[in-house]
Amino acid sequence: MSRGDTMPAWGRALLAVPCALLGLGVSVCTVALHGYAWGLALGLAATAASLVALPAGWWSRLSFALGWVAVLVLVTPERAEGDFVVAGDVDGYLLLGAGILVFGAGFVGLIAPRGPVRDSGQPGTAP
């Protein structure tokens, strides 16, 4: 365990499941309501809040993002009736663009945050 991790690997793996399920749930609600302006705004706000609230790591933020994007992958193909769940209008394209951003945010969340920058103590440098 490095960087001060206190949770064992199996504990992090178990936490990946509820985070992925949270991503699935938020995404289903966002897809279901994306036809309404308030529904799209609320869904994207809930997605952004979840990404900010979850700690960085493959077991939390990345699993949430993968669960969120999995719903989009499942609903974007053409249905048997010949129509689409995600409409080809501005709201639909905003939703698909948000999926790309969520996917990217999940991978950016793998980068460990840096600590505060400290002065090197070299003479001649401003404090």
Side-chain angles (χ1 to χ4, degrees), residues 20 29 34-35 49-50 61-62 68 82 85 87 108 113 116:
C29 293
H34 83 278
S50 298
R61 198 174 294 166
L62 180 61
W68 203 95
V85 174
V108 168

Side-chain angles (χ1 to χ4, degrees), residues 91-113:
D91 293 337
Y93 287 117
L94 283 173
L95 181 65
L96 294 176
I100 294 169
L101 292 175
V102 168
F103 191 65
F107 281 99
V108 168
L110 292 176
I111 300 171

Side-chain angles (χ1 to χ4, degrees), residues 6-65:
T6 57
M7 188 181 309
W10 61 268
R12 290 191 299 264
L14 284 177
L15 277 176
V17 174
C19 289
L21 290 175
L22 176 66
L24 285 167
V26 171
S27 184
V28 165
C29 293
T30 304
V31 168
L33 296 174
H34 83 278
Y36 303 103
W38 63 267
L40 181 62
L42 183 64
L44 295 180
T47 300
S50 298
L51 284 170
V52 170
L54 289 170
W58 67 266
W59 54 273
S60 58
R61 198 174 294 166
L62 180 61
S63 63
F64 173 85

